[in-house]
Amino acid sequence: MDNKELREDHPRLPVYEPGSDTLYFRDGVITSGVVHTISEIFREHPACINLIIRNSCIENERVVDDLANLISTTSRLSGIGFDNVGLDHTSIERLFAKDIRGIRIISLLNENIGDLGAICLSNYICDSSLEFLCVCNCGIESRGVRHLIDAMPTATMKVLDLSKNDIHEDVVVHLANIIPRTRLIHLNLNSINITRRGLEAICAAPTDTLVTYEFASNRLSNDHLLPILLLIALRQVKRVVLYNNLIDDVGANKLFSAIDVNQDFECIDLRSNVRITDQSVDCIIIAVHEHYCLRRILLDGTSVSEKGMYSVSRKLRANHKSRINARRFLYKSRRLRLPNTYMFGRGFLCKRVDIYRRTNVRFVISRALYLLGDDL
């Protein structure tokens, strides 16, 4: 019995919890009756604005047309996601052939749409108000990705996920040239085999809004880290994802030296970098000391022992308590100014180096190079 027959023998209904903003359909066959039920739920529950279909299959092409009518006629629909549904480029062309200007979120996971599907999608999003676009593991190559990059609405796009697609170096450089014209805050380039030239272009792209970069599963070693180190030390970056790469203790020490410069940094993900050991713990603790914004350091899957993990987590908890006490203290006396400290937006106590970092570029560069070492 194949997967489709198994799903037909076990019919599923859409799952919606009253008051939630998302309607789910999982592990079933999407028929015209299911689409009608989804439409009724949207009509009866004004709070429902998103639709996610996961691990299912579409019965026939007529159902695709029914879904397209649902997407275009439900004016309140804000986000739509398909995960392992079996869409191809013809399905994409039929689904988004009508007016989708109200859609703000499109998520396609594990759908083999290829370059043709990406080109079809790019034709429909160019005039939209799209804010979130995910095409993870969709079999798209450089031609399709280039069309999506050129078509994405630069004024509204905030999150772009191109992970697990075969993207050429020139297209990554082209994306870096587009970034300054966008308002992206999150860029996901996991598992695209990014090259040194592409990484340098992305990290050097001038932007005031992009605060989260993901470069996981790209086989990045210490030799690739210089652009990322300068990105962390000299920009307002808050989160960097580097899990499942080839970073060792030397690279980890340089990363945390750069984090020590950036007092706005919040989270670094180094999971599954098995070459990171307890030799990096001391440098991590030094970087964490009085770094009140740093909240998460993910080291699962590395060679750091439980004792080292406990030392880092204990230091983070101590910083969290200090941050709360500082906020309470400054809330009671807002006009207070202490030597070598100052108060900024969130009310944390920070070193005066933060003032210089915002006003003196030469100081920032010299401070960063001093902390990162001369061997870069």
Side-chain angles (χ1 to χ4, degrees):
M1 182 181 297
D2 60 14
N3 195 26
K4 183 175 181 179
E5 292 176 351
L6 180 62
R7 290 169 178 166
E8 289 175 348
D9 290 342
H10 299 80
R12 305 284 182 176
L13 292 176
V15 178
Y16 176 71
E17 297 181 1
S20 174
D21 63 351
T22 304
L23 170 65
Y24 294 93
F25 183 80
R26 303 185 183 94
D27 306 318
V29 178
I30 307 170
T31 62
S32 297
V34 170
V35 176
H36 178 72
T37 303
I38 293 174
S39 178
E40 290 295 325
I41 293 175
F42 273 106
R43 187 178 297 110
E44 296 174 1
H45 299 276
C48 186
I49 58 175
N50 301 314
L51 172 63
I52 295 179
I53 300 176
R54 184 172 295 159
N55 296 330
S56 303
C57 59
I58 299 176
E59 186 178 41
N60 51 46
E61 294 182 355
R62 179 182 174 184
V63 179
V64 177
D65 294 334
D66 293 339
L67 280 172
N69 291 329
L70 172 68
I71 294 172
S72 61
T73 57
T74 307
S75 58
R76 197 174 64 254
L77 186 63
S78 175
I80 186 167
F82 295 95
D83 181 2
N84 195 23
V85 179
L87 300 179
D88 55 13
H89 68 276
T90 58
S91 302
I92 294 295
E93 185 174 5
R94 298 164 77 101
L95 276 174
F96 300 108
K98 299 184 179 181
D99 187 8
I100 62 167
R101 283 177 294 182
I103 301 293
R104 295 188 297 111
I105 300 173
I106 295 178
S107 178
L108 302 175
L109 302 175
N110 307 309
E111 306 294 344
N112 190 24
I113 65 174
D115 284 348
L116 293 178
I119 293 172
C120 292
L121 185 60
S122 66
N123 294 331
Y124 306 134
I125 68 174
C126 56
D127 296 326
S128 68
S129 57
L130 197 65
E131 298 179 6
F132 180 105
L133 177 61
C134 172
V135 287
C136 174
N137 194 24
C138 287
I140 306 175
E141 298 182 357
S142 297
R143 178 188 171 202
V145 172
R146 182 179 287 272
H147 277 81
L148 286 175
I149 293 171
D150 291 335
M152 69 178 182
T154 56
T156 59
M157 182 68 72
K158 295 180 180 179
V159 179
L160 179 62
D161 185 348
L162 301 173
S163 59
K164 297 184 180 180
N165 290 294
D166 188 11
I167 306 176
H168 193 266
E169 177 184 272
D170 293 338
V171 179
V172 177
V173 175
H174 179 62
L175 172 61
N177 295 330
I178 298 292
I179 285 177
R181 304 202 300 268
T182 69
R183 300 190 61 81
L184 283 175
I185 62 175
H186 189 129
L187 178 63
N188 188 338
L189 297 177
N190 296 339
S191 303
I192 66 167
N193 295 321
I194 192 169
T195 63
R196 176 68 179 265
R197 176 172 170 245
L199 186 63
E200 290 176 350
I202 292 294
C203 293
T207 173
D208 296 328
T209 59
L210 191 52
V211 295
T212 301
Y213 293 79
E214 295 196 31
F215 301 116
S217 301
N218 278 301
R219 299 185 62 82
L220 300 179
S221 63
N222 296 343
D223 297 334
H224 298 85
L225 288 183
L226 178 58
I228 300 176
L229 296 175
L230 295 177
L231 174 71
I232 294 174
L234 305 180
R235 298 281 187 87
Q236 299 295 321
V237 180
K238 294 184 178 181
R239 290 168 290 275
V240 174
V241 177
L242 294 168
Y243 71 81
N244 195 25
N245 281 297
L246 303 176
I247 301 171
D248 60 14
D249 289 322
V250 175
N253 292 341
K254 292 179 179 179
L255 283 170
F256 282 98
S257 297
I259 291 172
D260 189 33
V261 178
N262 185 350
Q263 292 292 319
D264 292 330
F265 199 83
E266 296 180 358
C267 173
I268 185 166
D269 187 348
L270 293 173
R271 291 174 296 172
S272 300
N273 286 278
V274 296
R275 302 180 182 180
I276 298 178
T277 67
D278 284 344
Q279 296 181 9
S280 301
V281 171
D282 291 339
C283 185
I284 295 174
I285 292 177
I286 292 173
V288 170
H289 181 64
E290 293 186 358
H291 198 312
Y292 299 117
C293 287
L294 186 58
R295 301 181 182 184
R296 301 187 70 190
I297 300 174
L298 303 180
L299 297 171
D300 301 335
T302 64
S303 298
V304 178
S305 65
E306 293 184 2
K307 181 180 179 181
M309 294 275 198
Y310 176 74
S311 300
V312 174
S313 62
R314 183 176 60 180
K315 189 61 182 177
L316 284 174
R317 287 196 300 269
N319 275 357
H320 177 69
K321 293 180 181 179
S322 299
R323 181 171 66 247
I324 293 176
N325 292 334
R327 293 184 67 179
R328 292 174 179 172
F329 179 70
L330 290 174
Y331 178 77
K332 293 180 179 179
S333 40
R334 295 188 177 184
R335 296 184 178 181
L336 181 65
R337 290 294 183 269
L338 299 178
N340 297 325
T341 64
Y342 85 109
M343 182 176 66
F344 64 105
R346 298 183 180 179
F348 301 158
L349 286 171
C350 291
K351 297 178 181 178
R352 186 169 290 276
V353 65
D354 224 29
I355 300 177
Y356 296 148
R357 186 171 58 79
R358 286 177 169 78
T359 57
N360 192 330
V361 177
R362 288 185 179 179
F363 175 82
V364 174
I365 296 176
S366 61
R367 172 71 172 166
L369 294 179
Y370 171 76
L371 290 174
L372 297 180
D374 298 331
D375 56 340
L376 294 177

